[in-house]
Amino acid sequence: MMFAVAAAGILVSMVLAMVRALLGPTVYDRVLAVNAFGTKTVLLIAVLGYLAGRPEFMDLCLVYALINFIGTIAVLKFFEYGDLGRARSTTEAE
Amino acid sequence: MRALGLGVILFGFWLALSGHYTPLLLSLGVGSTVLVVYLATRMDVVDHEGIPLHIGGRFWVYFPWLLKEIFVANVHVARIILSPGLPIHPLLVHYRSSQKTDLGRAIYANSITLTPGTITMSVDGQDLEIHSLTWVDVDGREEDEMDRRVTWVEQGA
Amino acid sequence: MDMVFDAVSWVLISGGVFFMVVGAIGLVRMPDVYTRLHAAGMTDTMGAGLILMGLCFQGGGFPVVVRLVLIWLFLLFTSPIGTHALARAALSGGVEPYRTTPPQGS
């Protein structure tokens, strides 16, 4: 039963993160809120895995954590350089 | 040598995650490990920065201390967030770190960011620019001790 | 023994949820991007750490615990990198850090 309470608490914090994502005001606030939302999603999946008695959910968590991190970095890189494929240090070497 | 260490770590990782130990799957695991090590070597990331084996045990002495610091800082920031007046005085501070290598500086900068209340904004050689939530967070005591400990970790076991 | 594990686990999970909600409140209350990063960092370190540690005490066998520890380590290693990247992007994007006039109450 406590798993349901924990899941509810995580959901509340997800709603708060969503509020920040909608309020903005800058694009960085939104990226930050979405990143925090993703972290909370990872934990929610973990708790739900225990709630449903299905330990396979942990694999989903692991993959979600990876995608969340890479997604955030990719979006930030895109905003900073307007390009996903270029690293500053290797532009001259190629 | 480092490639071998990477291979052992990756295969251990594979064994822990897989849970299936039939000959076919084990050989597939070995195959993927070899492929990843080959790709990593080709990408030129198997060096003393990518696979910092030389730091060895010292990191695991530093790590519990870092966790304790994170706990203390978290309680501090939680109290600030929950107090009605939101008593924050954000400020930027310049810091000079004493680490010799980039790896040591990376550990130091990330440790600072991990403890809530302080964030490393930019790193330029030995100069760090730190964004702090209040005046108290950068009074220097924790930062200096962390600096000393990271330098000790960096020297390797 | 199971009772003790259960109790420890619930204390840890409640603590984690508490820090997570406080971090989210901070995310809404703080005045600018940089101060919000501090609040978000709380969720990544304490919130996630305590909840995952609490789940470890619930058991579920070796494979599950290994995965929980890996998720925790992964979050711990990537969170500062994401925070730093965000701070740098915001700085180069021209977002001015919020400042208070020094003697501001409290």
Side-chain angles (χ1 to χ4, degrees), chain A residues 37-76:
Chain A
F37 193 81
T39 310
K40 294 179 214 307
T41 309
V42 171
L43 296 173
L44 183 66
I45 296 173
V47 172
L48 283 183
Y50 274 91
L51 189 62
R54 296 179 64 181
E56 313 90 270
F57 274 35
M58 296 310 137
D59 292 316
L60 300 185
C61 287
L62 213 56
V63 173
Y64 201 100
L66 286 163
I67 294 176
N68 184 39
F69 172 65
I70 292 172
T72 307
I73 294 297
V75 168
L76 286 173

Side-chain angles (χ1 to χ4, degrees), chain C residues 76-92:
Chain C
L76 208 59
F77 285 144
T78 56
S79 139
I81 300 171
T83 307
H84 176 67
L86 199 57
R88 249 192 41 172
L91 206 61
S92 73

Side-chain angles (χ1 to χ4, degrees), chain B:
Chain B
M1 182 54 215
R2 282 185 197 280
L4 194 69
L6 176 66
V8 170
I9 292 170
L10 282 176
F11 193 64
F13 187 66
W14 188 91
L15 283 178
L17 284 185
S18 144
H20 296 281
Y21 303 115
T22 57
L24 172 68
L25 284 170
L26 275 178
S27 57
L28 285 176
V30 173
S32 53
T33 306
V34 170
L35 181 67
V36 169
V37 171
Y38 168 70
L39 286 177
T41 322
R42 237 180 74 106
M43 282 170 73
D44 218 11
V45 292
V46 187
D47 51 18
H48 71 284
E49 266 180 26
I51 322 287
L53 291 176
H54 59 284
I55 285 181
R58 289 204 178 186
F59 182 76
W60 301 106
V61 179
Y62 172 67
F63 199 55
W65 181 82
L66 179 65
L67 289 183
K68 191 210 85 190
E69 282 300 307
I70 288 174
F71 181 80
V72 173
N74 262 298
V75 173
H76 178 67
V77 174
R79 196 171 290 158
I80 290 177
I81 289 177
L82 287 180
S83 46
L86 203 64
I88 56 169
H89 305 284
L91 73 162
L92 286 171
V93 189
H94 283 279
Y95 240 83
R96 185 160 271 272
S97 65
S98 66
Q99 285 82 38
K100 298 274 182 301
T101 61
D102 284 348
L103 179 69
R105 276 178 217 132
I107 296 177
Y108 184 46
N110 279 342
S111 304
I112 288 178
T113 309
L114 260 182
T115 47
T118 46
I119 289 175
T120 313
M121 300 278 274
S122 64
V123 183
D124 182 19
Q126 286 198 309
D127 294 313
L128 305 177
E129 198 170 4
I130 298 173
H131 183 273
S132 164
L133 201 53
T134 66
W135 301 99
V136 202
D137 290 334
V138 278
D139 57 359
R141 274 177 288 125
E142 281 85 4
E143 276 67 22
D144 285 342
E145 186 171 1
M146 191 181 273
D147 190 43
R148 258 192 308 108
R149 282 174 189 259
V150 174
T151 308
W152 175 77
V153 168
E154 177 198 54
Q155 284 155 1

